[in-house]
Amino acid sequence: MTKEVLLFVYFSTINIVSPYTLNKVEGDTSVYICTGKKAYSYHCNRGCRGLNKCQAEIKKVTLEYAKSIKRIPCKICY
């Protein structure tokens, strides 16, 4: 087998854990949102650089609430 094939097999068999999966594993369904008028996403952690431009309050809310107000996952931290 070539080195590329071995690497492919290795990486396709390990579990890659995203922050979203990590939240689900721990049972924590809280996310962070910016309460500004133009905000449209939710974030898995308060330190996400997607929240850097938030000029309103950053709130910790439940994932269900964030989805109910039509927020989508952040493209940076999810």
Side-chain angles (χ1 to χ4, degrees):
M1 287 187 156
T2 67
K3 183 178 179 181
E4 291 82 15
V5 172
L6 288 174
L7 286 173
F8 174 76
V9 171
Y10 173 75
F11 285 111
S12 64
T13 58
I14 63 170
N15 274 339
I16 299 174
V17 179
S18 71
Y20 179 73
T21 306
L22 196 56
N23 268 353
K24 291 298 183 186
V25 170
E26 294 173 357
D28 183 15
T29 57
S30 58
V31 295
Y32 295 88
I33 61 168
C34 175
T35 58
K37 291 181 181 182
K38 295 181 181 181
Y40 59 88
S41 58
Y42 59 87
H43 307 267
C44 66
N45 62 56
R46 197 176 194 322
C48 175
R49 67 183 167 98
L51 286 169
N52 285 348
K53 293 183 181 179
C54 179
Q55 295 181 357
E57 183 181 0
I58 297 173
K59 283 186 155 184
K60 185 176 185 179
V61 298
T62 64
L63 178 60
E64 291 78 22
Y65 175 74
K67 287 182 177 181
S68 75
I69 59 171
K70 308 294 186 218
R71 298 295 176 99
I72 62 171
C74 169
K75 294 179 182 176
I76 298 168
C77 62
Y78 279 106

Coordinates of all heavy atoms in Angstrom, one line a residue:
M1 N 0.8 -1.2 0.0 CA 0.0 0.0 0.0 C 0.9 1.2 0.0 O 1.9 1.3 0.7 CB -0.9 0.0 1.2 CG -2.0 -0.9 1.2 SD -3.0 -0.6 2.7 CE -4.5 -1.2 2.2
T2 N 0.4 2.2 -0.7 CA 1.1 3.5 -0.7 C 0.8 4.3 0.6 O -0.1 4.1 1.3 CB 0.8 4.3 -1.9 OG1 -0.6 4.7 -1.8 CG2 1.0 3.6 -3.2
K3 N 1.7 5.3 0.8 CA 1.5 6.1 1.9 C 0.2 6.9 1.9 O -0.5 7.0 2.9 CB 2.7 7.1 1.9 CG 2.7 8.0 3.1 CD 4.0 8.9 3.0 CE 4.0 9.9 4.2 NZ 5.2 10.7 4.1
E4 N -0.2 7.3 0.7 CA -1.5 8.1 0.6 C -2.7 7.2 1.0 O -3.6 7.6 1.6 CB -1.7 8.6 -0.8 CG -0.7 9.7 -1.2 CD 0.7 9.2 -1.6 OE1 0.8 8.0 -1.9 OE2 1.6 10.0 -1.6
V5 N -2.7 5.9 0.5 CA -3.7 5.0 0.8 C -3.8 4.7 2.3 O -4.9 4.7 2.9 CB -3.6 3.7 0.0 CG1 -4.6 2.7 0.5 CG2 -3.7 3.9 -1.5
L6 N -2.7 4.5 2.9 CA -2.6 4.3 4.4 C -3.2 5.5 5.2 O -3.9 5.3 6.1 CB -1.2 4.0 4.8 CG -0.7 2.6 4.4 CD1 0.8 2.5 4.8 CD2 -1.5 1.5 5.1
L7 N -2.8 6.7 4.7 CA -3.3 7.9 5.4 C -4.8 8.0 5.2 O -5.5 8.4 6.2 CB -2.6 9.1 4.9 CG -1.2 9.3 5.3 CD1 -0.5 10.5 4.6 CD2 -1.1 9.5 6.8
F8 N -5.3 7.7 4.0 CA -6.7 7.8 3.8 C -7.5 6.8 4.7 O -8.5 7.2 5.3 CB -7.0 7.5 2.3 CG -8.5 7.4 2.1 CD1 -9.3 8.5 2.0 CD2 -9.1 6.2 1.9 CE1 -10.7 8.4 1.8 CE2 -10.5 6.1 1.7 CZ -11.2 7.2 1.6
V9 N -7.0 5.6 4.8 CA -7.6 4.6 5.6 C -7.6 5.0 7.1 O -8.6 4.9 7.8 CB -6.9 3.2 5.4 CG1 -7.4 2.2 6.5 CG2 -7.2 2.7 4.0
Y10 N -6.5 5.6 7.5 CA -6.4 6.0 8.9 C -7.4 7.1 9.2 O -8.1 7.0 10.2 CB -4.9 6.5 9.2 CG -4.8 7.1 10.6 CD1 -4.7 6.3 11.7 CD2 -4.7 8.5 10.7 CE1 -4.6 6.9 13.0 CE2 -4.6 9.0 12.0 CZ -4.5 8.2 13.1 OH -4.4 8.8 14.3
F11 N -7.4 8.1 8.4 CA -8.3 9.3 8.7 C -9.7 9.0 8.5 O -10.6 9.6 9.0 CB -7.8 10.5 7.9 CG -6.6 11.2 8.4 CD1 -5.4 11.1 7.7 CD2 -6.6 11.8 9.7 CE1 -4.3 11.7 8.2 CE2 -5.5 12.4 10.2 CZ -4.3 12.3 9.5
S12 N -10.0 8.0 7.7 CA -11.4 7.7 7.4 C -12.0 6.8 8.6 O -13.2 6.6 8.7 CB -11.6 7.0 6.1 OG -11.0 5.8 6.0
T13 N -11.1 6.2 9.4 CA -11.6 5.3 10.4 C -11.6 6.0 11.8 O -12.2 5.5 12.7 CB -10.7 4.1 10.5 OG1 -9.4 4.4 10.8 CG2 -10.8 3.2 9.3
I14 N -10.9 7.1 12.0 CA -11.0 7.8 13.3 C -12.2 8.7 13.4 O -12.7 9.1 12.4 CB -9.7 8.6 13.6 CG1 -9.5 9.7 12.6 CG2 -8.5 7.7 13.6 CD1 -8.4 10.7 12.9
N15 N -12.7 8.9 14.6 CA -13.8 9.8 14.8 C -13.2 11.3 14.9 O -12.4 11.6 15.8 CB -14.5 9.5 16.1 CG -15.6 8.5 15.9 OD1 -16.0 8.2 14.8 ND2 -16.0 7.8 17.0
I16 N -13.7 12.1 14.0 CA -13.3 13.5 14.1 C -14.4 14.2 14.8 O -15.6 14.1 14.4 CB -13.1 14.1 12.6 CG1 -12.0 13.3 11.9 CG2 -12.9 15.6 12.7 CD1 -11.8 13.7 10.5
V17 N -14.1 14.8 15.9 CA -15.0 15.4 16.8 C -15.1 17.0 16.6 O -14.1 17.6 16.8 CB -14.7 15.1 18.3 CG1 -15.7 15.8 19.2 CG2 -14.7 13.7 18.5
S18 N -16.2 17.5 16.1 CA -16.4 18.9 16.0 C -16.9 19.5 17.3 O -17.3 18.7 18.2 CB -17.4 19.2 14.9 OG -18.7 18.8 15.3
P19 N -16.8 20.8 17.4 CA -17.3 21.4 18.7 C -18.8 21.1 18.9 O -19.3 20.9 20.0 CB -17.1 22.9 18.4 CG -16.0 23.0 17.5 CD -16.1 21.8 16.6
Y20 N -19.6 21.0 17.7 CA -21.0 20.7 17.8 C -21.2 19.3 18.4 O -22.0 19.1 19.3 CB -21.6 20.7 16.5 CG -23.1 20.4 16.5 CD1 -24.0 21.3 17.0 CD2 -23.6 19.2 16.0 CE1 -25.4 21.0 17.0 CE2 -24.9 18.9 16.0 CZ -25.8 19.8 16.5 OH -27.1 19.5 16.6
T21 N -20.4 18.3 17.9 CA -20.5 17.0 18.5 C -20.1 16.9 19.9 O -20.7 16.2 20.7 CB -19.6 16.0 17.6 OG1 -19.9 16.1 16.3 CG2 -19.8 14.6 18.1
L22 N -19.1 17.7 20.2 CA -18.6 17.7 21.6 C -19.7 18.2 22.6 O -19.9 17.7 23.6 CB -17.3 18.6 21.7 CG -16.5 18.5 23.0 CD1 -16.0 17.0 23.2 CD2 -15.3 19.4 22.9
N23 N -20.4 19.2 22.2 CA -21.5 19.7 22.9 C -22.6 18.7 23.2 O -23.1 18.5 24.2 CB -22.2 20.9 22.2 CG -21.6 22.3 22.7 OD1 -20.8 22.3 23.6 ND2 -22.0 23.3 22.0
K24 N -22.9 17.9 22.1 CA -23.9 16.9 22.2 C -23.4 15.7 23.1 O -24.2 15.2 23.9 CB -24.2 16.3 20.8 CG -25.0 17.3 20.0 CD -26.3 17.6 20.6 CE -27.1 18.6 19.8 NZ -28.3 19.0 20.4
V25 N -22.1 15.4 23.0 CA -21.6 14.3 23.9 C -21.7 14.7 25.3 O -22.0 13.9 26.2 CB -20.1 14.0 23.5 CG1 -19.5 13.0 24.5 CG2 -20.1 13.4 22.1
E26 N -21.4 15.9 25.7 CA -21.4 16.4 27.1 C -22.8 16.7 27.5 O -23.0 16.9 28.7 CB -20.5 17.6 27.2 CG -19.0 17.3 27.0 CD -18.2 18.6 26.9 OE1 -18.8 19.7 27.1 OE2 -17.0 18.5 26.8
G27 N -23.8 16.7 26.6 CA -25.1 17.0 27.0 C -25.4 18.5 27.2 O -26.5 18.9 27.6
D28 N -24.4 19.3 26.9 CA -24.6 20.7 27.0 C -25.2 21.3 25.7 O -24.6 21.1 24.6 CB -23.3 21.4 27.3 CG -23.4 22.9 27.5 OD1 -24.5 23.4 27.7 OD2 -22.4 23.6 27.4
T29 N -26.4 21.9 25.8 CA -27.0 22.4 24.6 C -27.1 23.9 24.6 O -27.9 24.5 24.0 CB -28.5 21.8 24.5 OG1 -29.2 22.2 25.6 CG2 -28.5 20.3 24.3
S30 N -26.1 24.5 25.3 CA -26.1 26.0 25.3 C -25.2 26.5 24.2 O -24.2 25.8 23.8 CB -25.6 26.5 26.7 OG -24.4 26.0 27.0
V31 N -25.6 27.6 23.6 CA -24.8 28.3 22.6 C -24.8 29.8 22.9 O -25.4 30.2 23.8 CB -25.4 28.0 21.2 CG1 -25.3 26.5 20.8 CG2 -26.8 28.5 21.1
Y32 N -24.0 30.5 22.1 CA -23.9 31.9 22.3 C -24.4 32.7 21.1 O -24.2 32.3 19.9 CB -22.4 32.3 22.5 CG -21.9 31.7 23.8 CD1 -21.3 30.5 23.8 CD2 -22.0 32.4 25.0 CE1 -20.8 29.9 25.0 CE2 -21.5 31.8 26.2 CZ -21.0 30.6 26.2 OH -20.5 30.0 27.4
I33 N -25.1 33.7 21.3 CA -25.7 34.6 20.2 C -25.4 36.0 20.5 O -25.2 36.4 21.7 CB -27.2 34.4 20.0 CG1 -28.0 34.8 21.3 CG2 -27.5 33.0 19.6 CD1 -29.5 34.9 21.1
C34 N -25.2 36.8 19.5 CA -25.2 38.2 19.5 C -26.6 38.7 19.4 O -27.3 38.3 18.6 CB -24.3 38.8 18.4 SG -24.2 40.6 18.4
T35 N -27.0 39.7 20.3 CA -28.3 40.2 20.3 C -28.5 41.3 19.3 O -29.6 42.0 19.3 CB -28.8 40.6 21.7 OG1 -27.9 41.6 22.2 CG2 -28.8 39.4 22.6
G36 N -27.5 41.7 18.5 CA -27.7 42.7 17.6 C -28.7 42.5 16.5 O -29.0 41.3 16.2
K37 N -29.2 43.5 15.8 CA -30.2 43.4 14.8 C -29.7 42.6 13.6 O -30.5 42.0 12.9 CB -30.7 44.8 14.4 CG -31.4 45.5 15.4 CD -31.9 46.9 14.9 CE -32.6 47.6 16.0 NZ -33.1 48.9 15.6
K38 N -28.5 42.7 13.2 CA -28.0 42.0 12.0 C -27.4 40.6 12.3 O -26.9 40.0 11.3 CB -26.9 42.9 11.3 CG -27.5 44.2 10.8 CD -26.4 45.0 10.1 CE -27.0 46.4 9.6 NZ -26.0 47.2 8.9
A39 N -27.4 40.2 13.5 CA -26.8 38.9 13.9 C -27.7 37.8 13.3 O -28.9 37.9 13.3 CB -26.7 38.8 15.4
Y40 N -27.1 36.7 12.8 CA -27.9 35.6 12.2 C -27.4 34.2 12.6 O -27.9 33.2 12.1 CB -27.9 35.8 10.7 CG -26.5 35.7 10.1 CD1 -25.9 34.5 9.7 CD2 -25.8 36.9 9.9 CE1 -24.7 34.5 9.1 CE2 -24.5 36.9 9.3 CZ -24.0 35.7 8.9 OH -22.7 35.7 8.4
S41 N -26.3 34.1 13.4 CA -25.8 32.8 13.7 C -25.7 32.6 15.2 O -25.7 33.5 16.0 CB -24.5 32.5 13.0 OG -23.6 33.5 13.4
Y42 N -25.5 31.3 15.6 CA -25.1 30.9 16.9 C -23.8 30.3 17.0 O -23.3 29.8 16.0 CB -26.2 30.0 17.6 CG -26.5 28.7 16.9 CD1 -25.7 27.6 17.2 CD2 -27.5 28.6 16.0 CE1 -26.0 26.4 16.6 CE2 -27.8 27.4 15.4 CZ -27.0 26.3 15.7 OH -27.3 25.1 15.1
H43 N -23.1 30.3 18.1 CA -21.7 29.9 18.2 C -21.6 28.9 19.4 O -22.3 29.0 20.4 CB -20.9 31.2 18.5 CG -21.1 32.3 17.5 ND1 -20.3 32.4 16.4 CD2 -22.0 33.2 17.5 CE1 -20.8 33.4 15.7 NE2 -21.8 34.0 16.3
C44 N -20.6 28.0 19.2 CA -20.4 27.0 20.2 C -19.6 27.5 21.4 O -19.7 26.9 22.5 CB -19.7 25.8 19.6 SG -18.1 26.0 19.1
N45 N -18.8 28.6 21.3 CA -18.1 29.1 22.4 C -18.1 30.6 22.3 O -18.1 31.2 21.3 CB -16.7 28.5 22.5 CG -15.8 28.8 21.4 OD1 -15.6 30.0 21.0 ND2 -15.3 27.8 20.7
R46 N -17.9 31.3 23.5 CA -17.9 32.7 23.6 C -16.7 33.4 22.9 O -16.7 34.5 22.5 CB -18.0 33.2 25.0 CG -18.4 34.6 25.2 CD -18.6 34.9 26.7 NE -19.2 36.1 27.1 CZ -19.2 37.3 26.5 NH1 -18.6 37.5 25.4 NH2 -19.9 38.3 27.0
G47 N -15.6 32.6 22.8 CA -14.4 33.1 22.2 C -14.3 33.0 20.7 O -13.3 33.4 20.1
C48 N -15.4 32.6 20.0 CA -15.4 32.5 18.6 C -15.1 33.8 17.9 O -15.8 34.8 18.3 CB -16.7 31.9 18.1 SG -16.8 31.8 16.3
R49 N -14.3 33.9 16.9 CA -14.0 35.1 16.3 C -15.2 35.7 15.5 O -15.2 36.8 15.1 CB -12.7 35.0 15.4 CG -12.8 34.2 14.2 CD -11.5 34.1 13.5 NE -11.5 33.1 12.5 CZ -11.7 33.3 11.2 NH1 -11.9 34.5 10.8 NH2 -11.7 32.2 10.4
G50 N -16.2 34.8 15.3 CA -17.4 35.3 14.6 C -18.2 36.3 15.5 O -19.0 37.0 15.0
L51 N -17.9 36.3 16.8 CA -18.6 37.2 17.7 C -17.8 38.5 17.9 O -18.2 39.4 18.6 CB -18.8 36.5 19.1 CG -19.9 35.5 19.1 CD1 -19.8 34.7 20.4 CD2 -21.2 36.1 19.0
N52 N -16.6 38.6 17.3 CA -15.8 39.8 17.5 C -16.4 41.1 17.2 O -16.2 42.1 17.8 CB -14.5 39.7 16.7 CG -13.5 38.7 17.4 OD1 -13.7 38.3 18.5 ND2 -12.5 38.4 16.6
K53 N -17.3 41.1 16.1 CA -17.9 42.4 15.7 C -19.2 42.6 16.4 O -19.9 43.6 16.0 CB -18.1 42.3 14.2 CG -16.8 42.3 13.4 CD -17.0 42.4 11.9 CE -15.7 42.4 11.2 NZ -15.9 42.4 9.7
C54 N -19.6 41.8 17.3 CA -20.9 42.0 18.0 C -20.8 43.3 18.8 O -20.0 43.5 19.7 CB -21.2 40.8 18.9 SG -22.7 41.1 19.8
Q55 N -21.7 44.3 18.5 CA -21.7 45.5 19.2 C -22.9 45.6 20.2 O -23.1 46.6 20.9 CB -21.8 46.7 18.2 CG -20.6 46.8 17.4 CD -20.7 47.9 16.4 OE1 -21.6 48.7 16.3 NE2 -19.6 48.1 15.7
A56 N -23.6 44.5 20.3 CA -24.7 44.4 21.3 C -24.2 43.4 22.4 O -23.1 43.0 22.5 CB -26.0 43.9 20.6
E57 N -25.2 42.9 23.1 CA -24.9 41.9 24.2 C -24.7 40.5 23.6 O -25.4 40.1 22.7 CB -26.0 41.9 25.2 CG -25.8 41.0 26.4 CD -27.0 41.0 27.3 OE1 -28.0 41.7 27.0 OE2 -27.0 40.3 28.3
I58 N -23.8 39.8 24.2 CA -23.6 38.3 23.8 C -24.3 37.5 24.9 O -23.9 37.7 26.1 CB -22.1 38.0 23.7 CG1 -21.4 38.8 22.6 CG2 -21.9 36.5 23.5 CD1 -19.9 38.6 22.5
K59 N -25.2 36.7 24.5 CA -26.0 35.9 25.5 C -25.7 34.4 25.3 O -25.6 34.0 24.2 CB -27.5 36.2 25.3 CG -28.0 37.5 25.9 CD -29.5 37.5 25.7 CE -30.1 38.4 26.8 NZ -31.5 38.3 26.7
K60 N -25.8 33.7 26.4 CA -25.7 32.3 26.4 C -27.2 31.8 26.5 O -27.9 32.2 27.4 CB -24.9 31.7 27.6 CG -24.8 30.2 27.6 CD -23.9 29.8 28.8 CE -23.6 28.3 28.8 NZ -22.7 27.9 29.9
V61 N -27.6 31.0 25.5 CA -29.0 30.6 25.3 C -29.0 29.1 25.0 O -27.9 28.5 24.7 CB -29.7 31.4 24.3 CG1 -29.8 32.8 24.6 CG2 -29.1 31.2 22.9
T62 N -30.1 28.5 25.0 CA -30.2 27.1 24.6 C -30.2 27.0 23.1 O -30.6 27.9 22.4 CB -31.5 26.4 25.1 OG1 -32.6 27.1 24.5 CG2 -31.6 26.5 26.6
L63 N -29.7 25.9 22.6 CA -29.7 25.6 21.2 C -31.1 25.7 20.6 O -31.3 26.2 19.5 CB -29.1 24.2 20.9 CG -29.0 23.8 19.5 CD1 -28.2 24.8 18.6 CD2 -28.4 22.4 19.4
E64 N -32.1 25.1 21.3 CA -33.4 25.2 20.9 C -33.9 26.6 20.7 O -34.6 26.9 19.7 CB -34.4 24.4 21.8 CG -34.1 22.9 21.9 CD -32.9 22.5 22.7 OE1 -32.4 23.3 23.6 OE2 -32.3 21.4 22.4
Y65 N -33.6 27.5 21.6 CA -34.0 28.9 21.5 C -33.4 29.5 20.3 O -34.0 30.2 19.5 CB -33.7 29.6 22.8 CG -34.0 31.1 22.7 CD1 -35.3 31.6 22.7 CD2 -33.0 32.1 22.5 CE1 -35.6 32.9 22.5 CE2 -33.3 33.4 22.3 CZ -34.6 33.8 22.4 OH -34.9 35.1 22.2
A66 N -32.1 29.3 20.1 CA -31.4 29.9 19.0 C -32.0 29.5 17.7 O -32.2 30.3 16.8 CB -29.9 29.5 19.0
K67 N -32.3 28.2 17.6 CA -33.0 27.7 16.3 C -34.4 28.3 16.2 O -34.8 28.6 15.1 CB -33.1 26.2 16.3 CG -31.7 25.5 16.1 CD -31.8 24.0 16.1 CE -30.5 23.4 15.8 NZ -30.6 21.9 15.7
S68 N -35.1 28.5 17.3 CA -36.5 29.0 17.2 C -36.5 30.5 16.7 O -37.5 30.9 16.2 CB -37.2 28.9 18.6 OG -36.7 29.9 19.5
I69 N -35.4 31.2 16.9 CA -35.3 32.6 16.4 C -34.6 32.7 15.1 O -34.0 33.7 14.7 CB -34.8 33.6 17.5 CG1 -33.3 33.2 17.9 CG2 -35.7 33.7 18.7 CD1 -32.6 34.2 18.7
K70 N -34.5 31.5 14.4 CA -34.0 31.4 13.1 C -32.5 31.6 12.9 O -32.0 32.1 11.9 CB -34.7 32.3 12.1 CG -36.2 32.2 12.1 CD -36.7 30.9 11.6 CE -38.2 30.9 11.5 NZ -38.8 29.7 11.9
R71 N -31.7 31.3 14.0 CA -30.3 31.4 13.9 C -29.7 30.2 13.3 O -30.3 29.1 13.4 CB -29.7 31.6 15.3 CG -30.1 32.9 16.0 CD -29.6 34.1 15.3 NE -30.1 35.3 15.9 CZ -29.4 36.1 16.7 NH1 -28.2 35.7 17.1 NH2 -29.9 37.2 17.2
I72 N -28.6 30.3 12.6 CA -27.9 29.2 11.9 C -26.6 29.0 12.6 O -26.0 29.9 13.2 CB -27.8 29.4 10.4 CG1 -27.0 30.7 10.1 CG2 -29.2 29.5 9.7 CD1 -26.6 30.9 8.6
P73 N -26.0 27.8 12.4 CA -24.7 27.5 13.0 C -23.6 28.5 12.4 O -23.6 28.7 11.2 CB -24.4 26.1 12.7 CG -25.7 25.5 12.3 CD -26.5 26.6 11.8
C74 N -22.7 28.9 13.2 CA -21.6 29.7 12.7 C -20.7 28.9 11.8 O -20.4 27.8 12.1 CB -20.8 30.2 13.9 SG -19.2 31.0 13.5
K75 N -20.3 29.5 10.7 CA -19.4 28.8 9.7 C -18.0 28.7 10.2 O -17.2 27.9 9.7 CB -19.4 29.5 8.4 CG -20.8 29.4 7.7 CD -20.8 30.1 6.4 CE -22.2 30.0 5.8 NZ -22.3 30.8 4.6
I76 N -17.6 29.4 11.3 CA -16.3 29.4 11.8 C -16.1 28.3 12.9 O -15.2 27.4 12.8 CB -15.9 30.7 12.4 CG1 -15.9 31.8 11.3 CG2 -14.5 30.7 13.1 CD1 -15.8 33.2 11.8
C77 N -17.0 28.3 13.8 CA -16.9 27.3 15.0 C -17.6 26.0 14.8 O -17.5 25.1 15.7 CB -17.1 28.0 16.3 SG -18.8 28.6 16.5
Y78 N -18.5 25.9 13.8 CA -19.2 24.6 13.6 C -18.7 24.0 12.4 O -18.8 24.3 11.3 CB -20.7 24.8 13.6 CG -21.3 24.9 15.0 CD1 -21.7 26.1 15.5 CD2 -21.4 23.8 15.8 CE1 -22.3 26.2 16.8 CE2 -22.0 23.9 17.1 CZ -22.4 25.1 17.6 OH -22.9 25.2 18.8

